Amino acid sequence: MKDNCSVIKDLLPLYIENITSEESKKAVEEHLKNCKSCRSIFENMQDNSKETLTFNNESDQMFQNYVKAYNRRSRVRTAIFVVIAILITLLLEIGPYALNLVFSFMLDENKDILVDTDVANYEKYMGKNALDDFVSKSGMKEDIFPEKITTGMKVDEYKMVYYNPFDPQWLSYLVVEYNNDDYQKELERLRTYPSTKYLGYYGVTGFDNDYELIAMQADSYNGFVYALDAHDGKIVYVEIIFSNYQMDIYYPQYIATDYLPEGFDATTQNPYALKNQ
């Protein structure tokens, strides 16, 4: 009898898994009918098997929940990427100026931009006695501009814009109305200035027909300093100085486009920069 019990106990795990032969299955079932001890062992083994099954079911459910959560996260990430791609496409379609405006808004750069329209501060920003950040403007000379504002000069417009996020940049202009004698003297001074070539730099093709270029200092990397004859005793002085082939501010916001060279593009990722960097 004990020998039979030993055999049956060895067969019970296989019997529970239903992988015994038909002959062994019948032998186990017949033995369990008559052996209380083996039947008790069999019942305990069945209970343990149910606990294992429950654990496996719980694990399966946890895995299913994980898969569902992962799929939700994947859908959210995909949606975010699609929205970003659409925004970038739209920004590229509407042009570099709009792109600059968006980035300016995102960075809140305007809080760090100095804008001064008080001509009484002219010498703080121009000439040898200027403040430290304005003495040497990326090596560009400013002798096209008047050295100082005199009592005989009628200033119609003046603005100095300074911004230094990573590389400093300056944009300023001065519109002066002279009496006839001073106007002729200033024209003579500017027309004898050793002007440099400028066409082609940053897409520049010339100037508005209402203005005659009378002096130009241009640098293929740092920008322009120039003077325009607006006729009738009026002269416009402009400097646009930057580095790394671009301006980080939306410059048409600060200067009339009539004063800018035609075709001028120093926006972020402008064609001239892409070609030369």
Side-chain angles (χ1 to χ4, degrees), residues 152 177-187 232-234:
E177 186 174 345
Y178 293 93
N179 61 47
N180 187 61
D181 289 342
D182 290 340
Y183 175 57
Q184 296 302 323
K185 290 178 181 178
E186 186 65 359
L187 285 179
D232 297 326
K234 189 177 294 187

Side-chain angles (χ1 to χ4, degrees), residues 14-271:
L14 301 177
Y15 175 77
I16 291 172
E17 296 294 331
N18 197 26
I19 55 176
T20 60
S21 65
E22 284 297 320
E23 184 178 350
S24 297
K25 181 180 179 181
K26 290 179 181 179
V28 170
E29 291 174 347
E30 188 66 28
H31 182 84
L32 292 178
K33 289 179 182 178
N34 302 308
C35 181
K36 185 177 180 181
S37 175
C38 287
R39 188 163 60 250
S40 176
I41 292 172
F42 168 68
E43 289 173 353
N44 286 334
M45 291 178 69
Q46 275 191 314
D47 290 340
N48 290 335
S49 176
K50 289 178 180 179
E51 289 177 4
T52 303
L53 181 62
T54 300
F55 172 78
N56 289 339
N57 287 339
E58 289 176 354
S59 297
D60 289 345
Q61 186 62 47
M62 290 173 64
F63 178 73
Q64 290 175 10
N65 291 339
Y66 168 78
V67 170
K68 289 179 181 178
Y70 176 81
N71 288 338
R72 283 195 299 269
R73 289 194 298 270
S74 296
R75 287 194 294 270
V76 170
R77 283 196 298 268
T78 300
I80 291 173
F81 288 143
V82 169
V83 170
I84 291 173
I86 292 172
L87 287 174
I88 290 174
T89 301
L90 288 174
L91 290 172
L92 291 175
E93 287 292 330
I94 59 180
Y97 286 161
L99 194 61
N100 276 1
L101 283 175
V102 171
F103 283 127
S104 296
F105 173 77
M106 292 174 64
L107 296 173
D108 193 20
E109 68 175 16
N110 288 332
K111 66 181 181 181
D112 297 320
I113 297 176
L114 167 68
V115 180
D116 194 339
T117 57
D118 186 355
V119 73
N121 295 325
Y122 181 81
E123 292 184 47
K124 291 182 180 180
Y125 308 125
M126 308 294 292
K128 59 185 179 181
N129 296 319
L131 299 174
D132 289 345
D133 288 343
F134 302 88
V135 172
S136 177
K137 297 175 180 173
S138 297
M140 296 287 282
K141 296 179 180 179
E142 297 177 302
D143 48 353
I144 287 178
F145 274 70
E147 183 178 352
K148 58 179 64 177
I149 304 299
T150 63
T151 55
M153 299 165 63
K154 180 178 180 297
V155 176
D156 290 345
E157 297 178 69
Y158 171 71
K159 183 179 290 185
M160 164 58 75
V161 182
Y162 172 65
Y163 183 48
N164 188 5
F166 305 105
D167 300 304
Q169 46 208 271
W170 302 264
L171 185 158
S172 65
Y173 64 92
L174 173 72
V175 182
V176 177
E177 186 174 345
Y178 293 93
N179 61 47
N180 187 61
D181 289 342
D182 290 340
Y183 175 57
Q184 296 302 323
K185 290 178 181 178
E186 186 65 359
L187 285 179
E188 182 178 357
R189 180 184 78 85
L190 293 170
R191 283 175 176 158
T192 58
Y193 184 87
S195 294
T196 63
K197 67 176 184 178
Y198 70 97
L199 293 175
Y201 293 168
Y202 300 92
V204 171
T205 58
F207 285 87
D208 188 288
N209 290 332
D210 291 336
Y211 301 96
E212 176 190 350
L213 178 66
I214 47 178
M216 166 65 77
Q217 181 198 168
D219 184 271
S220 61
Y221 184 77
N222 291 123
F224 308 88
V225 180
Y226 55 90
L228 303 172
D229 181 9
H231 310 296
D232 297 326
K234 189 177 294 187
I235 295 177
V236 180
Y237 307 87
V238 179
E239 65 177 5
I240 312 169
I241 303 172
F242 47 91
S243 58
N244 201 27
Y245 296 104
Q246 65 184 36
M247 295 199 77
D248 297 307
I249 60 174
Y250 181 57
Y251 48 84
Q253 178 180 344
Y254 299 99
I255 183 171
T257 54
D258 289 349
Y259 297 160
L260 292 172
E262 290 186 333
F264 174 67
D265 183 0
T267 57
T268 305
Q269 298 296 300
N270 65 79

